[in-house]
Amino acid sequence: MDSNYNEIIENAYNFTKPIKDKGKLATYIPELANVNPSNFGVHMTKVDGTSFGIGDHLEKFSIQSISKVLSLALAVKFLGEDIWTRIDVEPSGTKFDSLLLLETYNGIPRNPFVNSGAIVICDILISHLENARQEFLEFVRDLSGIPDLNYSDKIADSEKATGFRNVALCNFIKSLGNIKNDPAVVLDFYFDMCSLEMNCQQLSHTFSFLANGGCKLKDGKEIITSSQAKRINALMLTCGFYDESGEFAFKVGLPGKSGVGGGIVALYPNNFTIAVWSPKLNANGNSYKGMKLLETVTTHSEMSIF
Ligand code: DON
C-alpha cells in the first residue's frame, strides 16, 4: 500500500479519537449495551490487496444492519431483477425502523436497507433457498474468508426477546401481502442475520468485492456482476444511512452502510474499502465518531467519488 494512505488513516484516527463523543450506545437491543463505549478502530483494504488498520480494528463487534448489504447481494445473485418488484430503490427520509411509509406504499419498503426492506429480502431468500439461514452464512463465510464465522446467539436472542418494532413491521407487511412466509420464521432469520460479528479488518475484506466490480479480491471469483455491484453501491450512497444518507454523501462522499453496533463500512469503487467502529451512535443511529473519522479521511485525502 502507498504509505500515504496509512498516514492519512493514522492522522484521521489520532485527530478523531480525542473528540468528545456526543453519541449514545444502542440500548434497545440489551446485549448491545454490554460493550466498551470507548472502542475505536479503523481498517482500510485496497483493491491491490494491501491493507492497514489502527486502534481496536481487530476486535469483533455486532455488524447489525451492515449485514443487509450482504443479504441483498445474495438475493440479487440468485434472483436478479425480480426483487425490485417487492422493494423500491428510493431513500426513505425516515428512521431505520419506521412503519410510516409502508401504509402509503402498500407494503412495498422504500429500499432494502431500512428494516422493512431487509425483512422482505429475508422473506425472498427463504422462498428461494432450501435453507436460507445456512446458505447466507456460507455465502458470508466465502466472502470473508472466515470459515468459522457464525451467528451470535447471545445478540440474536437479545433482539428476539425485545424486537417488537420489527415484529410489527413484518406483520404489517404480511397483512399487505408482501411477506410470503410465516412472519415468525422470517423474523428469526432477520435477527440471526443482524447478529453476525466481525472486526474492522474482516469487514473491510468482506466488502471489497463491491469495490472490485463484484469480484472477490483474493481469487477474482465473480460474486455478482459489475452492473449489480454498481447498483448496490448506488443504494448504499442514497440509502445506507437512513435519514442521514444525504449528510453522509455531502460530508464523506462515498457509498457506505452503518449498523447500530457502531460499525460503518464505506468504499471507493476500484480503490479501497474502509471499515470503522465506534459504538456510540448519533440521533440517526449512525456511529458518531465513525462518521467523523470518515469525513476526515476523505477531506484530507480528497478520495471521494465526487
Ligand atoms: O433491526 C434492528 O433494529 C437491528 N437488528 C438492526 C438495525 C440497525 O443496525 C440500523 N442501523 N443503523
Side-chain angles (χ1 to χ4, degrees):
M1 172 182 282
D2 183 335
S3 62
N4 191 27
Y5 282 70
N6 302 9
E7 213 177 289
I8 288 166
I9 291 174
E10 196 169 343
N11 287 345
Y13 176 83
N14 289 329
F15 172 79
T16 316
K17 198 172 162 61
I19 291 177
K20 186 176 157 47
D21 197 333
K22 295 192 190 142
K24 286 199 182 92
L25 285 180
T27 50
Y28 76 100
I29 302 173
E31 199 54 41
L32 284 184
N34 292 333
V35 66
N36 178 351
S38 58
N39 278 317
F40 186 35
V42 54
H43 195 101
M44 175 189 269
T45 302
K46 289 190 65 189
V47 292
D48 66 9
T50 54
S51 72
F52 175 77
I54 188 168
D56 302 311
H57 67 125
L58 298 177
E59 190 153 330
K60 281 201 294 189
F61 59 94
S62 184
I63 73 167
Q64 289 295 320
S65 284
I66 298 174
S67 65
K68 294 171 181 173
V69 182
L70 304 174
S71 54
L72 173 64
L74 184 63
V76 161
K77 180 180 170 67
F78 281 113
L79 305 168
E81 296 295 296
D82 286 356
I83 61 169
W84 305 120
T85 58
R86 305 268 307 269
I87 301 156
D88 215 328
V89 294
E90 296 297 339
S92 68
T94 59
K95 271 200 76 190
F96 58 86
D97 56 359
S98 176
L99 284 134
L100 217 56
L101 296 173
L102 283 171
E103 177 127 57
T104 312
Y105 294 102
N106 225 354
I108 304 291
R110 295 308 279 153
N111 65 67
F113 298 149
V114 284
N115 288 9
S116 55
I119 289 170
V120 170
I121 292 282
C122 286
D123 183 58
I124 293 173
L125 289 174
I126 290 169
S127 295
H128 288 84
L129 303 177
E130 222 153 87
N131 183 342
R133 187 181 187 277
Q134 190 56 30
E135 285 176 57
F136 175 67
L137 186 60
E138 271 153 26
F139 175 67
V140 185
R141 281 180 177 165
D142 177 53
L143 275 178
S144 62
I146 315 168
D148 58 353
L149 179 83
N150 225 324
Y151 300 116
S152 159
D153 289 341
K154 224 159 123 184
I155 297 279
D157 289 349
S158 181
E159 193 170 3
K160 284 175 194 179
T162 54
F164 301 112
R165 273 193 90 87
N166 288 318
V167 175
L169 282 167
C170 191
N171 280 296
F172 193 45
I173 306 168
K174 177 85 181 173
S175 79
L176 293 164
N178 198 20
I179 290 284
K180 311 296 177 193
N181 298 283
D182 176 351
V185 173
V186 176
L187 285 162
D188 242 32
F189 177 38
Y190 172 75
F191 293 134
D192 284 339
M193 180 194 86
C194 291
S195 78
L196 286 178
E197 292 177 318
M198 283 190 206
N199 63 38
C200 290
Q201 180 190 50
Q202 294 166 334
L203 200 54
S204 70
H205 287 179
T206 304
F207 270 70
S208 54
F209 75 105
L210 289 170
N212 192 40
C215 298
K216 266 171 73 179
L217 279 191
K218 203 167 169 204
D219 51 14
K221 178 173 143 194
E222 184 179 272
I223 304 298
I224 50 176
T225 66
S226 59
S227 147
Q228 289 168 334
K230 180 198 76 178
R231 289 186 162 197
I232 293 180
N233 290 342
L235 284 166
M236 283 202 284
L237 184 78
T238 52
C239 312
F241 297 83
Y242 315 109
D243 206 12
E244 205 170 15
S245 299
E247 180 106 351
F248 192 81
F250 187 72
K251 289 191 169 158
V252 179
L254 295 174
K257 183 75 200 78
S258 62
V260 288
I264 299 179
V265 60
L267 60 97
Y268 188 165
N270 306 316
N271 276 278
F272 64 81
T273 308
I274 184 167
V276 56
W277 174 48
S278 170
K280 286 168 127 189
L281 311 177
N282 66 20
N284 290 302
N286 300 318
S287 169
Y288 181 85
K289 279 200 177 175
M291 301 273 284
K292 287 248 178 288
L293 178 130
L294 291 171
E295 183 184 351
T296 310
V297 167
T298 55
T299 304
H300 288 178
S301 62
E302 297 182 16
M303 295 185 298
S304 107
I305 62 167
F306 297 108

